[in-house]
Amino acid sequence: MSPQFWLWVGFAGMSVGAALILFIGKRRTPAEEADTIIHGLVPIIAACSYFAMATGQGSILLPAGPDAGTATRAFYFARYIDWSFTTPLLLLGLANTAMHSGMRRRAVVGGMIGSDLIMIVTALVFGLSQVAWLKWTWFAISCGAFLAVYYGIFVQLREENAHERDDTRADFLRNAVFLSVIWLAYPVVLLFGDDGLGLLGPALGLGIIAVLDLVAKVVYGLMATVQTAKRVERDLAEGKAAPVRPHLAAAE
C-alpha cells in the first residue's frame, strides 16, 4: 500500500471518529461538556493534518541523509503541528478525569503540557536535522521531555486521583495506561522510520503512525467519552453535579 493510501485512511478515519464522538458525547454538566469538546476537537485537528499531508501541503522534501547524494525523503511537518494541539488536549482530558470532582493543581497540568510541547518541538528538530550528533541530541532531549510527561501522569495526577471515588480512579488508571502504551510506540517509529535510522519504508512508517493516531485519538476518544457519561450519570443521580442547563438535561 502506498503512503497516500495511509494518509487518506487517516483523514477518513479521523473525520468519521470526530462525528461519532460529537454524536455520542453529551453536555449535561460542565465536565461532560468540556470532555465532549476536547475529544471531539482532537480528531478534527488530526483530520485537517492528514488532509494537508495527503494533498502534499503538509510535507516537504529533505535530503535522505548526509551521504545520500540527490536522494530525498518526505518530511511530514503537519503531523508535528497536529501533535502540538492534540496531545495537550488529550492530557487536559486525562487531567479532567483524574480530578473529576474539580480541577486542582493547575500548575501540574501546565507543566505536563509544557513538557509535551518541548517533546514535540525537539522531535520536529530531530526530524529536520541532517548532522548526526545534532539529530540524536535532539532525539535524546525529546525522550527526556517524554519521561517528564509520564512522571506527571503516573505520579502527580495519580496523587490527585487517589482522592476520587472508585469508578473515577479505575477510569483514570485505564485511560492513563492506554494512552501511555500507545504513545510509547511513537518514538520507536520515529527512531526506525525515515526521520531516524530509515529502516522502515515510507509506506510502513506512515501506516503504523496512522493506526497509532486513530487508536490514540478516535478509539481512546470514544472510550473516554462513554466513561465520562457513566460518571456524570452517577453524579446527577447522587446530586453531586448541577446540569449546564437544567431544561436541556431533562430533555436528554
Side-chain angles (χ1 to χ4, degrees), residues 93-136:
L94 189 61
N96 284 337
T97 299
M99 296 176 277
H100 180 69
S101 61
M103 179 59 72
R104 307 175 294 275
R105 299 186 71 184
R106 296 180 185 274
V108 167
V109 179
M112 279 197 313
I113 291 175
S115 298
D116 177 64
L117 291 174
I118 292 170
M119 174 188 71
I120 294 166
V121 171
T122 51
L124 168 65
V125 181
F126 153 76
L128 289 169
S129 297
Q130 299 298 314
V131 179
W133 76 269
L134 286 172
K135 173 182 282 289
W136 297 112

Side-chain angles (χ1 to χ4, degrees), residues 60 66 104 144 151:
I60 57 174
R104 307 175 294 275
Y151 177 82

Side-chain angles (χ1 to χ4, degrees), residues 1-9 76 202-204 206-207:
M1 295 177 181
S2 68
Q4 288 298 109
F5 169 82
W6 289 112
L7 293 173
W8 285 115
V9 165
Y76 295 95
L204 180 58
L206 282 173

